[in-house]
Amino acid sequence: MAARSALPAPVGRIRASRPPARAAGLRPPPLIGALVAFGLIASALLPREASWLVALVAVIVLGVPHGALDGAVAAPLLRPRGGRLWFGLFAVPYLGLSALVLLAWQVAPLTTLAGFLALSVLHFGEEDAGPGRRLEALVRGGLPVALPALLHPEDTAGIFAVVARVPMPQLPGWWTEAAWLWLALAGLWLATRPPRRAVMAEILLLAAAFWLLPPLTAFTLYFVGLHGPRHMRALVRDRTKAPAVDTMNRAILASLPVFGLTLLLGAALWPLYAPGSPGAVATLLTLTLQMLSALTVPHVLLDVLLDRIAGGSSPSRRQAGAEDGEGPGSPRP
């Protein structure tokens, strides 16, 4: 009972979504999104390293900030317990776990790659499908991981040979086999539980992107155009997860301190990654994707922890999914 009373009241309760009136302005201006998408698509015509550079800059500038909101999420839980030291209570285990993931890339790169891909499927699926839809979550979360292996295996192997820093003339067999399994599951899901039109349109657009564009460019479109904004909208709609983050503008501002710290950490790690790299862009690719994986682990664990403390899944996530056309409460045709 003592531990329960120590929690701030809003965190210990079932989360509620913000009133609909607060939802105004949650989406960025369509023109900005269209310009970003057009720039990424056009970058596919550039030489490979130039295309990689454009995609990586987009991932860093537009994708990483959604994870940089984890500090704002942890504050309501830790500030009542730690006072002014709350950020240290958050940052030390968060960065320590991230450091262990970076170390794992050096010790067992292919095992770490497999773990990163599996965690990405679960994380993307939870965000896209919402809680309680396991098959849909596997299909939608697996799409950005399986389609590159099926449609562009050589290009995908080339990217992750650089990231893992191991020879990879072709994709590991386990990745290819898992991709074919995903395709079978996707067919089963589409045949037995046809999704809503908006969800089907999203899947078809993503499939077209991964078919027509280089793997890193297509992934970047998904990451900065769907995954990041979807996560931030769900957070803005949540009353208790980060009470101070109630608009997209505040979400962006709240992400800046941790985002800046992430950039500083990346700059500090650069001298460790540059030796032996074939070039600056390759170094940036390795550092960006390895750091992305390293930050994903505590990012996901924090979300799981807060869901358990709250006693269940966040209604705001279900609401966000419903408004995007894919939530668990969305009616079937």
Side-chain angles (χ1 to χ4, degrees), residues 270-290:
W270 184 278
L272 300 178
Y273 280 77
S277 176
V281 175
T283 303
L284 184 63
L285 175 64
T286 305
L287 186 56
T288 300
L289 292 193
Q290 286 197 15

Side-chain angles (χ1 to χ4, degrees), residues 210-295:
F210 279 99
W211 177 34
L212 298 171
L213 299 174
L216 187 60
T217 302
F219 172 79
T220 302
L221 278 172
Y222 166 76
F223 192 68
V224 308
L226 288 177
H227 177 69
R230 186 168 282 160
H231 180 90
M232 294 180 79
R233 286 198 300 269
L235 185 62
V236 166
R237 292 188 179 102
D238 198 306
R239 287 179 178 176
T240 61
K241 198 172 184 181
V245 180
D246 57 359
T247 66
M248 284 296 282
N249 286 339
R250 289 183 179 179
I252 293 170
L253 290 175
S255 73
L256 293 180
V258 175
F259 176 56
L261 177 60
T262 304
L263 294 181
L264 289 175
L265 288 174
L269 289 172
W270 184 278
L272 300 178
Y273 280 77
S277 176
V281 175
T283 303
L284 184 63
L285 175 64
T286 305
L287 186 56
T288 300
L289 292 193
Q290 286 197 15
M291 283 194 67
L292 197 63
S293 72
L295 296 171

Side-chain angles (χ1 to χ4, degrees), residues 33 47-48 69-70 89 95 97 131 151 178 208 255:
R48 189 182 73 162
L69 284 167
D70 284 353
L89 296 176
L95 294 178
L97 186 55
L151 299 174
S255 73

